[in-house]
């Protein structure tokens, strides 16, 4: 498999990459648990609601619901950011270079500190 089939290996790699970004299970409940640097958007909530990471870590949000969400951060340390609408199965990543407490929300289902909102603590 090493030198004899470079083309086959490349194709397998592409298929795996596609599966990783487009077919993540959505539909609520069946998506498993978020990884150490992940936050799931699940049942109109962020799971976990507070994610603590080391400064410099890239956090990835994955939409496990059948409706669109956003990851929106508008006030606090560092620059504001906004994922824009994330459809079912979509993901968004953000690197937290600066230590601080980042309180974000979904524009469709929450507001700062209410409804569908969450916190990233970078330390
Ligand atoms: Cu939402």
């Amino acid at each position: 498999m090493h030198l004899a089939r470079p083309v086959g290996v490349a194709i397998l790699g592409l298929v795996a990459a596609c599966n990783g970004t487009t077919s993540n299970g959505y539909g609520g409940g069946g998506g498993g648990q978020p990884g150490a640097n992940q936050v799931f958007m699940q049942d109109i909530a962020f799971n976990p609601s507070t994610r603590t990471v080391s400064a410099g870590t890239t956090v990835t949000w994955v939409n496990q619901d059948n409706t669109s969400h956003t990851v929106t951060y508008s006030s606090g340390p560092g620059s504001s950011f906004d994922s824009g609408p994330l459809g079912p199965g979509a993901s968004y990543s953000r690197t937290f270079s600066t230590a601080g407490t980042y309180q974000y929300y979904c524009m469709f289902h929450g507001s700062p500190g209410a409804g569908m909102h969450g916190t990233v603590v970078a330390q």
Side-chain angles (χ1 to χ4, degrees), residues 67-87:
T67 190
S68 294
H69 297 296
T70 73
V71 180
T72 303
Y73 171 73
S74 55
S75 66
S79 307
S80 61
F81 58 86
D82 180 17
S83 67
L86 298 171

Side-chain angles (χ1 to χ4, degrees), residues 31-97:
Q33 292 299 313
N37 299 326
Q38 282 186 325
V39 178
F40 280 1
M41 304 152 109
Q42 209 166 26
D43 301 327
I44 321 294
F46 293 105
N47 172 30
S49 58
T50 298
R51 174 60 87 196
T52 301
V53 298
S54 302
T57 297
T58 298
V59 176
T60 300
W61 287 261
V62 182
N63 186 358
Q64 301 278 359
D65 277 342
N66 284 322
T67 190
S68 294
H69 297 296
T70 73
V71 180
T72 303
Y73 171 73
S74 55
S75 66
S79 307
S80 61
F81 58 86
D82 180 17
S83 67
L86 298 171
S91 63
Y92 172 73
S93 295
R94 175 83 188 178
T95 301
F96 291 86
S97 304

